């Protein structure tokens, strides 16, 4: 089973009320090859909501207690992000997820790039809190930029690949 960020599958769960829909994500969900999670919704936030960023490090630092997650107005939401990461991990383990494709730049879902904590649009190399926890438990996490048929196919059963091809469900 593949784990996807809910916003990639078209759900309007982003902080601005929108999504980051990728047709392949929708199709993987449609054929039962994927499940979706939104750590920020699972953390109890509304949509739309204030943006949040990691200050003082990256997702791994948050897990280690060396950094925190704050909203743009300064509220410390670290505990919410940690709780959500643990929930996502439990769901992933229950569904025997071995690989995830999560939205880049998010303080929860980022896998290569996140924002630097100054809410000025500056990016740094790093992972979000949920991604860091999943990777600590041997789950491979890729960014949405790698969500292509060629990249995903090795993680799908031949039957699912055949189904996607048969119904022209890939771009
Ligand atoms: S990037 Fe992750 S936390 Fe942000 S809206 Fe998408 S699924 Fe939710």
């Amino acid at each position: 089973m593949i784990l996807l960020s809910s916003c990639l599958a078209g759900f309007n769960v982003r902080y601005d009320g929108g999504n980051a829909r990728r047709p392949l994500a929708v199709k993987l969900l449609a054929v039962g090859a994927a499940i979706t999670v939104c750590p920020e919704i699972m953390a109890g936030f509304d949509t739309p909501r204030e943006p949040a960023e990691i200050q003082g490090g990256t997702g791994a630092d948050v897990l280690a207690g060396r950094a925190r997650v704050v909203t743009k107005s300064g509220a410390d939401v670290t505990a919410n992000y940690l709780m959500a990461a643990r929930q996502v991990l439990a769901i992933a383990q229950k569904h025997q997820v071995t690989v995830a494709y999560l939205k880049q730049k998010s303080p929860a879902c980022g896998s290569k790039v996140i924002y630097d904590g100054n809410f000025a649009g500056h990016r740094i190399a790093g992972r979000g809190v949920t991604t860091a926890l999943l990777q600590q438990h041997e789950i491979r996490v890729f960014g949405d930029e790698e969500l292509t048929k060629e990249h995903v196919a090795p993680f799908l059963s031949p039957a699912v690949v055949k189904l996607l091809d048969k119904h022209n469900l890939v771009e």
Side-chain angles (χ1 to χ4, degrees):
M1 188 65 76
I2 292 172
L3 185 72
L4 300 170
S5 290
S6 297
C7 56
L8 294 176
F11 295 100
N12 292 331
V13 292
R14 293 188 73 183
Y15 77 96
D16 60 1
N19 63 68
R21 184 180 181 276
R22 294 287 302 275
L24 180 55
V26 178
K27 292 160 189 170
L28 288 169
L29 194 60
V31 298
I35 57 173
T36 78
V37 290
C38 175
E40 290 182 349
I41 294 296
M42 294 165 70
F45 300 116
D46 296 326
T47 301
R49 57 186 170 274
E50 268 194 287
E53 297 186 4
I54 297 173
Q55 290 185 337
T58 67
D61 297 310
V62 174
L63 293 177
R66 296 188 295 263
R68 62 191 193 134
V69 189
V70 298
T71 66
K72 191 171 183 179
S73 64
D76 188 329
V77 289
T78 306
N80 303 67
Y81 275 73
L82 289 170
M83 176 192 69
R86 293 187 195 109
Q87 288 182 5
V88 171
L89 176 63
I91 290 169
Q93 291 175 330
K94 179 180 177 185
H95 291 272
Q96 300 177 326
V97 166
T98 58
V99 60
Y101 291 83
L102 304 183
K103 180 75 179 71
Q104 211 62 270
K105 298 183 283 188
S106 155
C109 293
S111 55
K112 285 182 183 170
V113 181
I114 57 173
Y115 289 108
D116 71 356
N118 291 311
F119 298 93
H122 299 142
R123 302 170 187 175
I124 58 172
R127 299 168 292 170
V129 180
T130 294
T131 296
L133 187 63
L134 292 175
Q135 289 183 331
Q136 284 183 1
H137 289 80
E138 316 305 330
I139 295 173
R140 300 176 70 180
V141 181
F142 300 103
D144 54 289
E145 74 280 3
E146 299 193 276
L147 187 58
T148 65
K149 182 196 172 190
E150 292 70 27
H151 199 281
V152 173
F155 305 115
L156 300 174
S157 70
V160 169
V161 173
K162 195 173 173 184
L163 189 61
L164 291 171
D165 286 337
K166 178 183 175 186
H167 294 285
N168 193 26
L169 291 178
V170 293
E171 296 96 58

